[in-house]
Amino acid sequence: MTTSKQILVLYKQLLEKAYKFDNYNFREFAKRKVTDSFKANKGLSDSEAITNFYNQGILDLAMLTRQTTISQMYTFEKLVVEPLKRQR
Amino acid sequence: MFRFAVRSVRPVARLPVASRFVQPIRSYAVAPITKDEVIKRSFEALKTVAALQESEISLESSFQKDLALDSLDTVEALVALEEEFDLEIPDKISDEIKTVGEAVNYIFEEEQKL
């Protein structure tokens, strides 16, 4: 049985990973994909469907972890649309 | 290198030799962050959350009541803040954060610890 608490933790982990893409296009896509698919499925009530969705999320989290790591190894110039980070 | 230059030149001119090493000049790369700056940057970060783009954000507004966010949006807003300030809000604390002001206070305290 998957609780809403677990879902929120997974959502947070997925979003945090999505932010870690170095490449703007991948990052924005991943953020959009994560939020959109959670919003689209927030009305799920069948516990089996929820569990399936949750398990898929776990797999996606593993995939995002791999891909963000790779993304950080091969960095490119920032795009013009990206705001430059302030000097810290 | 600049710091050494400052340290060695200025005390010679102004202080007696004995106290030259007593008062090292501390210089920071960046001035410590102020509360106003935390508030300003938090509001900017919150504006990037889709559900908050049109809402009036103030320090007193509660994520769920005043800003009408559901639990997913609240998590999204907190992650946006985390990324803006390069920190991680542990689950235990993020459960207790109900208003924008509480989030700002937590971030400000964390920034002071750095």
Side-chain angles (χ1 to χ4, degrees):
Chain A
M1 187 62 210
T2 321
T3 62
S4 65
K5 173 86 190 149
Q6 282 174 301
I7 303 274
L8 286 177
V9 169
L10 176 68
Y11 183 57
K12 189 174 178 202
Q13 287 171 332
L14 280 167
L15 268 182
E16 280 171 350
K17 279 289 173 222
Y19 269 98
K20 294 216 159 47
F21 272 111
D22 183 74
N23 185 303
Y24 175 85
N25 289 318
F26 291 151
R27 184 173 63 241
E28 294 303 313
F29 170 75
K31 277 155 63 178
R32 203 164 55 232
K33 176 81 179 165
V34 170
T35 48
D36 287 355
S37 49
F38 271 78
K39 293 241 165 80
N41 286 300
K42 74 177 174 186
L44 283 187
S45 49
D46 178 21
S47 75
E48 194 176 335
I50 295 176
T51 310
N52 283 339
F53 181 64
Y54 182 76
N55 289 339
Q56 183 59 44
I58 297 281
L59 293 179
D60 288 344
L61 179 62
M63 185 267 288
L64 274 183
T65 310
R66 291 193 297 273
Q67 292 303 321
T68 49
T69 311
I70 293 171
S71 165
Q72 285 164 6
M73 289 176 190
Y74 302 94
T75 59
F76 296 95
E77 299 266 310
K78 279 187 180 295
L79 301 183
V80 227
V81 287
E82 289 180 83
L84 285 171
K85 270 272 178 199
R86 301 149 303 279
Q87 293 286 320
R88 298 232 183 116
Chain B
M1 216 157 73
F2 177 68
R3 196 172 8 170
F4 285 131
V6 170
R7 209 184 263 179
S8 57
V9 174
R10 279 179 61 200
V12 175
R14 290 189 188 161
L15 298 169
V17 181
S19 63
R20 193 185 297 174
F21 301 106
V22 179
Q23 282 185 311
I25 297 167
R26 296 181 73 183
S27 54
Y28 296 92
V30 197
I33 195 163
T34 61
K35 187 96 183 218
D36 286 339
E37 203 180 335
V38 174
I39 294 171
K40 191 170 145 264
R41 277 170 59 191
S42 312
F43 284 10
E44 271 169 25
L46 287 174
K47 284 282 178 195
T48 65
V49 178
L52 287 174
Q53 243 143 30
E54 276 106 44
S55 0
E56 280 289 320
I57 302 170
S58 77
L59 283 180
E60 286 81 39
S61 41
S62 145
F63 287 116
Q64 314 236 335
K65 281 183 205 129
D66 303 324
L67 301 171
L69 300 187
D70 59 20
S71 50
L72 289 178
D73 292 327
T74 313
V75 171
E76 201 183 329
L78 287 177
V79 173
L81 287 177
E82 283 183 2
E83 291 302 320
E84 171 68 23
F85 293 95
D86 268 336
L87 48 83
E88 268 182 35
I89 305 176
D91 289 337
K92 222 189 199 170
I93 291 162
S94 62
D95 286 344
E96 285 162 20
I97 293 179
K98 298 272 182 281
T99 67
V100 177
E102 284 170 22
V104 168
N105 283 338
Y106 175 75
I107 291 167
F108 184 64
E109 276 163 30
E110 286 296 301
E111 291 282 331
Q112 298 305 98
K113 287 182 196 161
L114 295 179

